[in-house]
Amino acid sequence: MLNKVNTYDSAWTELNAALRNTEAAVGLGGAVGALEENQRQTGFIKDQLSGVERFVFQHPDHPSCYFRVQFNAKRLARFNGAGVSAPPEGVIAAHDGCFLCRDNVIWQQQGAELGYELNVNGKAFHAWMNPFPLLPSHVVVASSVHETQEWAFAPEGGQDIKRVVSDLVALAARMPNFLGFYNGVNAGASIPGHLHYQFFERPPACPIGGTAFPLEAKLRNLTSDGDIPAIETEYPVPVAKWSGDPQTISEGAGRWIDHWAALNEQRILRLTANIIVAAQDGGDVDLYFVPRDRTRPRGETMSGLVGGLEVLGEVVMSTPEERQALDGGEIDFFTVEQILASVRTPLFAELEPRP
Ligand SMILES: [Zn+2]
């Protein structure tokens, strides 16, 4: 095992030196692309997105409103367990075999999975490629230490929202052609024990909506004013949106969400969130905040969890039953709208009706 660890460490060091050069030359997005290429070659990335089909459903009366469905049969394969589940003799699995802890990755993936070390706002992270990507260059940026994904508003505490927001914004600013998100616990987070953000390269343009995701298209003309977000209430879930230079957005959104949590004190322990970021041409960043109800992690009539991608307006389907529904014309704009609406919780608790 010691030999294997030494071999892994030297492969890691060599790859990281090369990726640091790539980042210096072409930015973090380029380094992620190079890591992705490396991970295809080692065989760690199992799916090349070749089987993914996208369906676009427009509103019959307002064709500029649309949702997308991604059918991705290989998505099911991830449950078949990638990697080795028990550590070799003499090695103890850290944190119940957490897939985002580097000490486990070494034996779980038998050396095939390598990551890229990066510093975000003074904290150390590892970028790991997703072995079953939902989108191009789908990367998980995970804390280099095993620390909770939970936010500080949870009963047991967790990450300061200002940290989560500033990490997301800093990463988005470094990866201009990427989108990213934080899925709160019970809001699509697949590994609640270990802090991580997901980023992916903006996919090629669709004939409808171009390169914009449905949420981005719907909120395109809304702008925030300092700390105060633009608030969209006609999307199936309520959304607060900030746009502007990274530092202003990062500080303003962090302050506002803290204040929002205080105003929602009576129900805050029930709440979680999806937070989405994307840099725009010219360096400005858009940040979207969607509150979620912990008791409803899954959309109605849908096999998977609702996370950041679904909130962006692209629902992932992967089962034979869902395929049949798509082929049979049973799915339309309103089906997807209903899936999202079924996880809706208001931004502020609705007032009790007056007696
Ligand atoms: Zn971990």
Side-chain angles (χ1 to χ4, degrees), residues 211-280:
T211 58
F213 277 83
L215 172 73
E216 297 181 291
K218 178 80 182 165
L219 275 64
R220 186 173 279 141
N221 297 323
L222 297 185
T223 50
S224 51
D225 178 13
D227 287 13
I228 311 298
I231 290 177
E232 167 65 50
T233 52
E234 283 176 22
Y235 199 67
V237 289
V239 189
K241 177 193 176 189
W242 293 263
S243 308
D245 73 274
Q247 195 177 342
T248 308
I249 294 310
S250 177
E251 291 171 5
R255 271 193 298 263
W256 189 89
I257 298 170
D258 249 345
H259 184 59
W260 165 87
L263 294 176
N264 281 282
E265 193 186 359
Q266 288 188 334
R267 59 175 193 137
I268 194 68
L269 300 183
R270 265 187 78 129
L271 298 180
T272 177
N274 300 109
I275 306 175
I276 299 166
V277 277
Q280 298 303 337

Side-chain angles (χ1 to χ4, degrees), residues 94-95 97-102 104 142-147 191 193-195:
H95 307 292
C98 170
F99 300 123
L100 296 178
C101 281
R102 185 181 181 274
N104 294 333
S143 174
S144 68
V145 295
H146 187 83
E147 58 180 320
I191 305 179
H194 194 132
L195 177 65

Side-chain angles (χ1 to χ4, degrees), residues 94-113:
H95 307 292
D96 295 325
C98 170
F99 300 123
L100 296 178
C101 281
R102 185 181 181 274
D103 288 350
N104 294 333
V105 166
I106 299 176
W107 57 263
Q108 283 168 340
Q109 303 301 336
Q110 299 174 289
E113 183 180 12

Side-chain angles (χ1 to χ4, degrees), residues 73-210:
K74 291 181 183 164
R75 185 73 180 152
L76 278 183
R78 78 195 191 282
F79 297 115
N80 298 338
V84 175
S85 57
E89 216 178 312
V91 176
I92 294 168
H95 307 292
D96 295 325
C98 170
F99 300 123
L100 296 178
C101 281
R102 185 181 181 274
D103 288 350
N104 294 333
V105 166
I106 299 176
W107 57 263
Q108 283 168 340
Q109 303 301 336
Q110 299 174 289
E113 183 180 12
L114 292 165
Y116 178 47
E117 291 172 22
L118 66 162
N119 183 299
V120 183
N121 294 326
K123 295 221 163 65
F125 282 83
H126 291 144
W128 304 106
M129 297 313 299
N130 187 322
F132 297 104
L134 291 175
L135 291 148
S137 297
H138 189 166
V139 66
V140 177
V141 180
S143 174
S144 68
V145 295
H146 187 83
E147 58 180 320
T148 184
Q149 177 81 350
E150 190 58 271
W151 68 359
F153 309 128
E156 64 273 27
Q159 306 297 339
D160 188 332
I161 193 64
K162 290 178 174 154
R163 184 226 168 145
V164 172
V165 165
S166 62
D167 286 352
L168 284 169
V169 171
L171 283 163
R174 281 165 75 175
M175 290 191 274
N177 197 34
F178 281 61
L179 289 99
F181 50 82
Y182 161 84
N183 285 338
V185 174
N186 302 120
S190 44
I191 305 179
H194 194 132
L195 177 65
H196 64 283
Y197 309 112
Q198 302 193 52
F199 277 78
F200 55 86
E201 196 173 4
R202 194 175 280 284
C206 277
I208 296 156

